[in-house]
Amino acid sequence: LANVITIGSAKYEKLVKTAGMSMRRVAEGATGGETTEPKFAKVAIEVFPAEVEPWINNETLEDARIDLESDLTNEAAIGFAEGANAEYITGNGVGKARGINAYTVIANASYAWGSVGYVVSGKTAALASVAPADKIVNLQHALKAQYRPGAAFLMNDATLGTVRQIKDASGSYYLWNPDALAGFGGRLLGSPVTIDDNMPDIGAGAYAIAFGNFKRGYTIVNRTGTTLIRDNITAKGTTKFNFRRRFGGGIVNYEAIKLFKVAPS
């Protein structure tokens, strides 16, 4: 879902515009003056090293009935993917990526640049008892119209199981619809749903659903691809497979991501 780039240094920096200029009318013959100026902020995302390092007895390598080294490579890729995905949701940014749920959050009515806006479910530890879909509609419209094309819902599988049961006011139609192009997540209120089990369950105070244009809002930064050092010297009788990557991630456009907080207000 996110924007992914590769850089040649230890930090990615981007200058982003946080406010534009406004127009005003000038009466005929009157003297104009200064209007508001555009404002900018610098966003920085650092990359940090991560590794997966299995140690294998040499006899195990010699006697394996499968291509064990290829299997370790595949497992390392899975390990990196699972660890990185967790960071992109909950990472605190200290020696790792900073996740979308780890930023300062603020009620969307009071949104300001540098924080992530949220809307509420209307109930303490669950979706609203009456018209729960209305609250999800509020989440969709919390995102500015220019970001909605390409936007998606993000939630875990248990939350999707709950959301799939929401019907319209007549009780006749589910608001969630299957969509072969959107995968198992289908579509909710016309937008695709992506499942990520790193998102929290529905519970008191949880930010259980995100809705955003993640391509514009979140950037994953890679410094290197996966490298491998195969070491059968430093520990006699053992081969160390050191798989290593350097990467990070963070929000670059706070307007483009909104959260759904399970709370009454």
Side-chain angles (χ1 to χ4, degrees), residues 34-103:
E34 183 181 14
T35 60
T36 57
E37 70 281 359
K39 295 180 180 177
F40 297 85
K42 184 169 72 174
V43 174
I45 300 174
E46 293 187 62
V47 296
F48 302 98
E51 67 178 9
V52 176
E53 187 178 276
W55 295 16
I56 309 297
N57 291 333
N58 289 339
E59 289 85 354
T60 301
L61 289 172
E62 294 164 356
D63 297 339
R65 296 184 179 182
I66 62 172
D67 185 347
L68 191 54
E69 294 189 33
S70 293
D71 185 72
L72 291 174
T73 300
N74 291 335
E75 287 296 326
I78 293 171
F80 280 126
E82 291 180 343
N85 286 346
E87 290 184 11
Y88 301 148
I89 302 298
T90 61
N92 62 11
V94 180
K96 62 182 68 173
R98 189 170 182 183
I100 61 172
N101 278 351
Y103 285 82

Side-chain angles (χ1 to χ4, degrees), residues 2 5 10 14 40 60 97 101 106 108 130 134 181 189 199 209 218 221 226 231 247 256:
I5 63 172
K14 179 180 180 180
F40 297 85
T60 301
N101 278 351
I106 188 170
N108 199 60
V130 178
D134 290 359
L181 297 179
L189 298 172
M199 290 291 289
I209 303 174
Y218 194 92
V221 181
T226 302
D231 175 13
F247 67 94

Side-chain angles (χ1 to χ4, degrees), residues 33-203:
E34 183 181 14
T35 60
T36 57
E37 70 281 359
K39 295 180 180 177
F40 297 85
K42 184 169 72 174
V43 174
I45 300 174
E46 293 187 62
V47 296
F48 302 98
E51 67 178 9
V52 176
E53 187 178 276
W55 295 16
I56 309 297
N57 291 333
N58 289 339
E59 289 85 354
T60 301
L61 289 172
E62 294 164 356
D63 297 339
R65 296 184 179 182
I66 62 172
D67 185 347
L68 191 54
E69 294 189 33
S70 293
D71 185 72
L72 291 174
T73 300
N74 291 335
E75 287 296 326
I78 293 171
F80 280 126
E82 291 180 343
N85 286 346
E87 290 184 11
Y88 301 148
I89 302 298
T90 61
N92 62 11
V94 180
K96 62 182 68 173
R98 189 170 182 183
I100 61 172
N101 278 351
Y103 285 82
T104 300
V105 293
I106 188 170
N108 199 60
S110 303
Y111 168 78
W113 182 268
S115 58
V116 179
Y118 70 83
V119 299
V120 296
S121 69
K123 195 171 182 178
T124 300
L127 301 184
S129 301
V130 178
D134 290 359
K135 305 300 183 182
I136 299 178
V137 171
N138 290 343
L139 173 63
Q140 257 190 335
H141 285 271
L143 192 68
K144 287 186 175 180
Q146 63 261 39
Y147 298 114
R148 287 182 215 146
F153 288 99
L154 188 65
M155 64 190 78
N156 71 26
D157 196 55
T159 300
L160 177 58
T162 299
V163 169
R164 286 182 64 183
Q165 299 175 53
I166 299 175
K167 296 183 178 181
D168 65 10
S170 69
S172 302
Y173 299 99
Y174 289 105
L175 298 184
W176 179 92
N177 299 110
D179 184 347
L181 297 179
F184 182 82
R187 287 184 177 269
L188 178 63
L189 298 172
S191 297
V193 179
T194 295
I195 300 169
D196 190 327
D197 281 336
N198 294 296
M199 290 291 289
D201 291 333
I202 293 173

